[in-house]
Amino acid sequence: MPVKRSKPLGELYQEVSDYDLVLVPDSPLADALNRRLNRPHFGPFAITPRRLATRRRETAEDRTAFLEVIRRTDLSWKQVSKSVGDILQCWEYQGRPEAILEYEGYDTAANREVIDTIRSVDTSSQILTEYQIDESTAESVAVVGEDQLTALERSILPEEYDTVDRFVDEPYELPPFRIFESATAIVETLLETISTSNADDIAVVLDEGSEYSPLVESALEATDIPYYGGPGFIDQADHRAFIQLLRYVTGGVDTRVRVVKPLLTILGEDLPVDHDEKRLVDIVSEELEWLEPLLDTDTVPTVGELLSVYETRSGAELETLREELAALEVIEEQATTELVDRLTYYFDTYDVPIARENEGVLLADAKSASFVDRPLVFFLGLDEDWTHTSPNRPWVDRDSEFERNIDGFQSLLQSGVERYYLVQDSTGGSPVTPCLYFEELLDDEFDRFSDLDSITHTRPTRQTEGGFGKEPLDAESGYEPLESVSQSSLNSYANSPRDYFFGRILDSPDTHYFKEGNLFHDFAEFAVNHPSTIEDHPLEDIVDAMIEEARPFHRSVDIPTRRTRYRVGLETILEFLDEYAPTDTSFVTPSSGWGENFFVEYFDMEVDSPVTERWFDDTELGVKGKIDLLSSPTTLVDYKSGRRKRASQITKGSSIDEPSDKPNFQALLYLTYWRQQQPGEQLQFTFFHFLETLDDAVAGDAELSDCLTTVEYRPTSFAEFVRSPAVFEELCEDASNDCNKTFSKVDYDTFQDVVSTHPLPRTRDADEMLDSQFGETLVERMVDEVGDYKYVTNGCKQACRHLCGYRKDTYFEGDVDAFEEFVSEQIADLNHYRSGKDRFPVDGRAGEPNYRYVNHRDLLLTEERPNTSVADEFEPVAAADMEGTQ
């Protein structure tokens, strides 16, 4: 069905102007008709049934009923809330509260008790039930939009009245949807139009639960533009902060700093982001001293006492909140988890009335309003969240409810003289679904707004006065070019340059895995330097010291498991060092070491071994890092507390030709540096995952070899290596059966002839090698030499698999040469972006980032910007242009 055209307000007024009383379904429409009244009139003219009966502005009677019932009964708050909600709703649709008892499952003792209580309360439903229009004072009555009145509202109608339709028999053509790239762009467009001079002429219709609501409110506040109809009682900062204080006091000693950060922010107090993941009780800070007494479990404070503490700390007087807590009769109750849950539920469920200045921009909720009386109206979002959820109750006729809602939606869309529909076509990479009512109202097939009549806009450029405060920095203009990168930076940059960028400029909180990892590293370094000290010292004491140092990060219940984890990790490290720690360190020059070591202070001894925590920064190669242990002149060791990876995963992650979505350049970067120190030597890089066998160690069945992953560097080309007699010998004796059988029947010269004549492809894939010129020649030659047997062809395939296996755990000279060139290119690109010539891109070398490995996902905005400028289509409306429009 097409969109029905609403009657213009002037035409509607002309139809009802001669009546004594005009009943309408919503207050804004009544107010608009009353403003048009141009003759003397005694008593109400246009009015809603509830306001007519109660002689007061409509209030949230569900809250009034709830407060009265919890005061008079012993029912739980949630039970009362459900019963009150069901009874009032049934009353609205069926005209009497007792009707609910006629439905199966609703004739309960709780509902009967609530009905008895509500009947004695002066609610608007009770007054409406008893009210009848006095025909002597209202001889002529008109009802506008009778279908939108509920059964209870219609119960006051006199025997004779006239009905007036809100719509005419002709379709309404919707203006085009204006598509923006983001909610922020939509809000910026609003600010291009709204000013303090025209604020009273503008309305913004939005879903109050959407992202638009806080964005619009904060934008208007920042520009000092008045508005009303926005945030409610519990949305006020001090009210939210007090509930957070209650939650903190009842949260126990394991409460994290990040939990109370919003509270501290509202109070103007701040803590470094480093502490976010730590337990609050373990932080020594002036900002937290006032909170410490509130944690005393022997003297649990009351809600009133905590409110006084908050008022003293914040300097705010929260009389309205105090009155509300008194109405709930909780002021003298001790702050408990159960009480905080009840209060949170109450404030989330009921709207507490607050005094508002009804001036400025009107913010209207899309699911509460069906008419807005402003000359210029902006409709934001218009997505599926605008669709009403019809009550799933037996007393509700869902078809009739749908018709009421869709009529209200059509009326709302036509509010204002000028109206603009501002929407997004996609968000988070997914299309935005238009409000489901459009499926009933529009003949076109569509999945998103761009399928309908629409105009695409770019982000406007807005000149502002003021904005964020700026502080001059004592720094020279320009930037210092990077000369070297670490493996972690290279990994992050390869995955997503923009995530790397945010990682460089934003602080991150300390975490338990960083703290624990550092403690294990410190222990390993100290154990290499002072093995006898560690041997003479009880390991449990060292575990106790680590527990104490990492205590701020762990709940009390987690301490026993952490203790086991630490003990097993230390025992595994000692077992490894007993076998692999160097006894002679003369092969390397002394190093200045790296950073601090927890156990240096614990044992009051220095660490000065040149083979531990060895820092390097080679600006010629462009690489830097820290070698945990030099086990020998040719073996580098890195301690890892995470899960073990296979050698093939490590070499694949460092591939230059085929970028991985799990980049891992550590082994390759360190071997690149170390081959400069040990030229011509075969090198090894070993990852020691000292917690890999944790479960096995607890069971008494751990093997040290299960903790180790080693990749090698060979100072030769892959082709030269394959041509070696040792490789041919492996193909004859140590490879798979058909490979051994085939190559054992030819001599080394035959194999060397094939390898020397045809280049070996740079691949890790056996099928790709087999399909190359080298692979085809190898098969032909083996068939000629051995015979055209199936095992010969299969043996050649197994040989290719064996040769590719070397590339899965070994770097060759060409790999390291290519990596050196790659590092130079990455540093050049990094300095290009750092200079400001281009933005850091989101996508990395493998395309879209692997979001499992990014640290700032919420900052990686990937949506494309449309091309059409908003200035070409959207002209701000001045207040003078809107005069006389209503």
Side-chain angles (χ1 to χ4, degrees):
M1 65 179 185
V3 179
K4 296 184 292 186
R5 181 178 292 277
S6 291
K7 289 178 181 176
L9 193 57
E11 180 181 335
L12 185 60
Y13 173 75
Q14 290 300 323
E15 284 192 49
V16 301
S17 61
D18 293 333
Y19 287 90
D20 296 325
L21 180 65
V22 180
L23 296 177
V24 297
D26 40 51
S27 294
L29 180 58
D31 293 339
L33 291 173
N34 287 329
R35 281 192 290 270
R36 292 248 172 180
L37 189 61
N38 56 9
R39 59 180 173 81
H41 188 84
F42 179 75
F45 171 60
I47 195 169
T48 64
R50 284 185 181 273
R51 189 181 296 184
L52 175 65
T54 61
R55 300 299 185 185
R56 65 184 182 226
R57 296 192 67 86
E58 296 173 29
T59 59
E61 64 174 346
D62 55 347
R63 171 180 162 274
T64 303
F66 172 85
L67 291 174
E68 193 64 28
V69 174
I70 64 169
R71 187 177 68 83
R72 296 191 189 183
T73 70
D74 294 327
L75 299 173
S76 70
W77 284 19
K78 286 191 176 182
Q79 190 176 24
V80 170
S81 177
K82 182 180 185 307
S83 290
V84 167
D86 286 344
I87 292 167
L88 291 179
Q89 187 185 81
C90 184
W91 198 345
E92 189 74 41
Y93 284 93
Q94 299 300 320
R96 54 193 181 89
E98 293 81 8
I100 193 174
L101 303 177
E102 300 170 6
Y103 295 96
E104 184 178 356
Y106 291 91
D107 186 1
T108 65
N111 280 348
R112 288 182 177 276
E113 188 173 3
V114 172
I115 290 173
D116 291 340
T117 305
I118 289 180
R119 273 296 200 180
S120 62
V121 178
D122 192 23
T123 63
S124 59
S125 291
Q126 179 64 34
I127 297 172
L128 198 60
T129 302
E130 300 170 352
Y131 183 82
Q132 286 295 317
I133 294 176
D134 186 353
E135 298 185 16
S136 64
T137 59
E139 296 180 358
S140 59
V141 177
V143 180
V144 178
E146 182 181 10
D147 290 343
Q148 290 187 283
L149 298 180
T150 65
L152 181 57
E153 291 171 328
R154 288 196 297 269
S155 68
I156 72 168
L157 297 178
E159 292 184 3
E160 294 184 6
Y161 60 89
D162 295 328
T163 60
V164 179
D165 201 337
R166 295 182 69 171
F167 301 98
V168 296
D169 293 331
E170 59 181 78
Y172 169 72
E173 185 175 348
L174 291 172
F177 297 99
R178 297 176 181 271
I179 298 175
F180 292 81
E181 62 186 36
S182 67
T184 303
I186 289 176
V187 174
E188 289 185 353
T189 299
L190 289 181
L191 296 184
E192 284 287 298
T193 304
I194 303 173
S195 65
T196 54
S197 62
N198 66 10
D200 290 332
D201 298 305
I202 296 176
V204 178
V205 183
L206 42 72
D207 172 25
E208 66 177 9
S210 69
E211 62 180 327
Y212 295 105
S213 185
L215 286 175
V216 171
E217 292 160 13
S218 60
L220 295 177
E221 288 176 1
T223 50
D224 293 325
I225 295 175
Y227 68 93
Y228 69 99
F233 180 83
I234 198 58
D235 295 316
Q236 296 184 19
D238 284 317
H239 296 168
R240 291 199 312 272
F242 176 68
I243 297 298
Q244 291 169 356
L245 175 60
L246 291 178
R247 181 69 68 187
Y248 161 67
V249 169
T250 61
V253 294
D254 290 322
T255 300
R256 308 286 172 167
V257 169
R258 57 178 161 77
V259 174
V260 297
K261 265 294 187 70
L263 168 63
L264 298 177
T265 300
I266 291 173
L267 294 175
E269 300 166 353
D270 193 21
L271 283 177
V273 69
D274 302 358
H275 297 310
D276 278 9
E277 295 302 319
K278 298 177 182 177
R279 297 193 317 157
L280 201 58
V281 295
D282 293 313
I283 305 302
V284 179
S285 169
E286 293 182 2
E287 292 85 355
L288 300 177
E289 288 180 356
W290 66 280
L291 285 171
E292 293 179 7
L294 305 181
L295 291 177
D296 188 353
T297 56
D298 295 329
T299 56
V300 179
T302 66
V303 172
E305 290 170 343
L306 288 171
L307 183 56
S308 297
V309 170
Y310 181 86
E311 288 178 320
T312 300
R313 191 69 185 179
S314 65
E317 293 185 6
L318 306 179
E319 287 304 318
T320 306
L321 178 58
R322 187 178 295 276
E323 291 171 2
E324 197 65 22
L325 295 172
L328 291 167
E329 300 182 342
V330 298
I331 282 285
E332 301 301 326
E333 286 193 40
Q334 289 184 322
T336 63
T337 302
E338 187 272 335
L339 175 60
V340 178
D341 289 341
R342 281 192 288 148
L343 288 175
T344 303
Y345 175 80
Y346 171 75
F347 287 120
D348 286 344
T349 304
Y350 297 105
D351 293 325
V352 179
I354 56 177
R356 296 184 185 274
E357 294 292 337
N358 291 343
E359 61 180 23
V361 178
L362 169 63
L363 303 184
D365 180 24
K367 289 189 283 193
S368 299
S370 64
F371 177 79
V372 176
D373 185 27
R374 288 292 174 95
L376 176 58
V377 184
F378 293 98
F379 300 84
L380 274 52
L382 291 158
D383 52 26
E384 57 187 341
D385 290 334
W386 276 45
T387 309
H388 292 77
T389 301
S390 296
N392 187 20
R393 293 293 187 269
W395 50 81
V396 178
D397 185 334
R398 295 173 66 86
D399 291 336
S400 298
E401 181 72 6
F402 178 80
E403 292 299 325
R404 287 179 58 202
N405 290 335
I406 202 169
D407 280 352
F409 179 73
Q410 293 177 91
S411 172
L412 180 62
L413 289 183
Q414 298 174 58
S415 298
V417 176
E418 292 186 67
R419 54 194 73 92
Y420 296 94
Y421 305 152
L422 312 184
V423 303
Q424 296 181 77
D425 198 45
S426 65
T427 178
S430 301
V432 172
T433 303
C435 179
L436 302 184
Y437 296 135
F438 286 123
E439 294 183 2
E440 293 289 325
L441 300 175
L442 302 178
D443 295 330
D444 300 331
E445 293 186 1
F446 60 90
D447 294 315
R448 56 202 302 170
F449 286 109
S450 58
D451 296 333
L452 299 167
D453 182 19
S454 59
I455 301 171
T456 301
H457 296 287
T458 55
R459 183 189 299 271
T461 300
R462 178 168 60 91
Q463 299 296 327
T464 61
E465 297 180 1
F468 290 110
K470 301 179 179 66
E471 294 182 3
L473 298 177
D474 184 17
E476 297 181 0
S477 60
Y479 75 102
E480 288 291 332
L482 287 178
E483 295 183 310
S484 57
V485 292
S486 66
Q487 59 89 15
S488 58
S489 293
L490 198 57
N491 292 344
S492 177
Y493 183 75
N495 186 42
S496 172
R498 194 170 301 177
D499 185 58
Y500 158 84
F501 167 69
F502 286 124
R504 300 287 293 180
I505 65 174
L506 297 177
D507 292 329
S508 298
D510 292 340
T511 58
H512 73 88
Y513 44 88
F514 282 142
K515 171 61 73 173
E516 292 175 339
N518 288 336
L519 287 172
F520 281 120
H521 278 71
D522 290 351
F523 174 80
E525 180 185 21
F526 192 89
V528 172
N529 282 265
H530 303 288
S532 59
T533 301
I534 296 296
E535 184 178 350
D536 295 339
H537 204 87
L539 204 58
E540 286 302 321
D541 289 352
I542 297 177
V543 170
D544 289 340
M546 293 175 64
I547 289 289
E548 184 63 25
E549 181 69 9
R551 186 67 183 86
F553 296 99
H554 299 303
R555 301 175 301 169
S556 301
V557 70
D558 296 327
I559 296 302
T561 58
R562 307 316 289 187
R563 185 178 297 280
T564 300
R565 180 182 179 89
Y566 294 172
R567 178 178 52 78
V568 170
L570 299 184
E571 290 173 347
T572 307
I573 289 173
L574 291 177
E575 182 182 358
F576 173 82
L577 294 178
D578 184 57
E579 183 171 347
Y580 293 101
T583 55
D584 177 19
T585 62
S586 61
F587 64 86
V588 65
T589 58
S591 170
S592 59
W594 169 261
E596 299 178 353
N597 186 304
F598 170 77
F599 292 98
V600 164
E601 182 176 351
Y602 179 76
F603 287 105
D604 194 20
M605 302 175 68
E606 295 295 329
V607 293
D608 56 6
S609 172
V611 298
T612 59
E613 304 295 311
R614 187 177 181 88
W615 170 253
F616 64 88
D617 188 350
D618 191 320
T619 55
E620 290 187 8
L621 289 176
V623 297
K624 61 183 177 182
K626 176 173 63 67
I627 303 170
D628 290 345
L629 176 67
L630 289 173
S631 182
S632 75
T634 58
T635 302
L636 287 69
V637 176
D638 193 79
Y639 304 117
K640 295 292 184 185
S641 58
R643 296 304 304 271
R644 180 189 179 196
K645 294 181 176 61
R646 301 187 303 275
S648 60
Q649 292 175 296
I650 295 168
T651 56
K652 183 178 181 180
S654 62
S655 174
I656 307 299
D657 300 326
E658 300 177 1
S660 170
D661 67 343
K662 300 176 182 178
N664 183 356
F665 295 105
Q666 183 175 10
L668 183 52
L669 186 147
Y670 282 45
L671 290 169
T672 298
Y673 167 73
W674 200 245
R675 80 164 177 172
Q676 295 288 90
Q677 318 308 311
Q678 299 288 336
E681 294 290 336
Q682 183 172 323
L683 308 176
Q684 291 185 331
F685 188 95
T686 296
F687 292 95
F688 171 36
H689 295 265
F690 51 85
L691 293 175
E692 180 69 19
T693 56
L694 176 62
D695 293 341
D696 294 334
V698 172
D701 191 27
E703 292 290 339
L704 182 62
S705 59
D706 293 336
C707 299
L708 306 178
T709 297
T710 299
V711 292
E712 294 186 337
Y713 164 71
R714 294 180 181 270
T716 182
S717 69
F718 180 59
E720 291 174 348
F721 172 71
V722 171
R723 286 197 294 267
S724 66
V727 171
F728 177 71
E729 185 176 342
E730 288 186 13
L731 294 177
C732 295
E733 299 179 1
D734 299 329
S736 301
N737 291 336
D738 286 346
C739 179
N740 295 343
K741 185 177 180 181
T742 299
F743 284 85
S744 62
K745 294 183 179 180
V746 299
D747 55 26
Y748 170 69
D749 291 338
T750 301
F751 173 72
Q752 186 183 40
D753 184 49
V754 176
V755 176
S756 301
T757 306
H758 301 283
L760 275 75
R762 188 182 179 88
T763 180
R764 298 157 51 97
D765 185 85
D767 291 333
E768 188 175 333
M769 178 176 285
L770 188 65
D771 292 337
S772 68
Q773 185 179 7
F774 163 77
E776 293 175 352
T777 303
L778 180 66
V779 173
E780 292 174 0
R781 189 66 179 271
M782 292 300 104
V783 168
D784 289 342
E785 295 290 334
V786 180
D788 190 7
Y789 302 111
K790 183 177 180 179
Y791 78 84
V792 173
T793 303
N794 192 49
C796 290
K797 183 175 182 178
Q798 292 175 354
C800 289
R801 185 181 300 116
H802 189 82
L803 296 180
C804 286
Y806 293 120
R807 283 203 172 277
K808 293 181 179 180
D809 60 10
T810 306
Y811 295 114
F812 295 92
E813 192 174 60
D815 298 322
V816 178
D817 291 342
F819 182 71
E820 288 185 8
E821 183 178 351
F822 168 74
V823 169
S824 297
E825 293 172 352
Q826 299 306 294
I827 291 177
D829 287 346
L830 264 169
N831 285 324
H832 172 80
Y833 295 125
R834 292 178 73 246
S835 69
K837 295 178 181 178
D838 283 302
R839 297 179 69 194
F840 279 85
V842 173
D843 289 350
R845 299 186 66 244
E848 183 180 25
N850 186 331
Y851 287 108
R852 291 181 57 195
Y853 299 98
V854 302
N855 297 314
H856 308 91
R857 177 64 184 91
D858 54 335
L859 298 178
L860 302 187
L861 306 180
T862 59
E863 296 179 3
E864 294 290 336
R865 291 187 174 186
N867 298 319
T868 306
S869 172
V870 67
D872 298 334
E873 299 288 346
F874 191 94
E875 292 294 334
V877 180
D881 298 331
M882 297 184 288
E883 291 181 0
T885 55
Q886 282 287 332

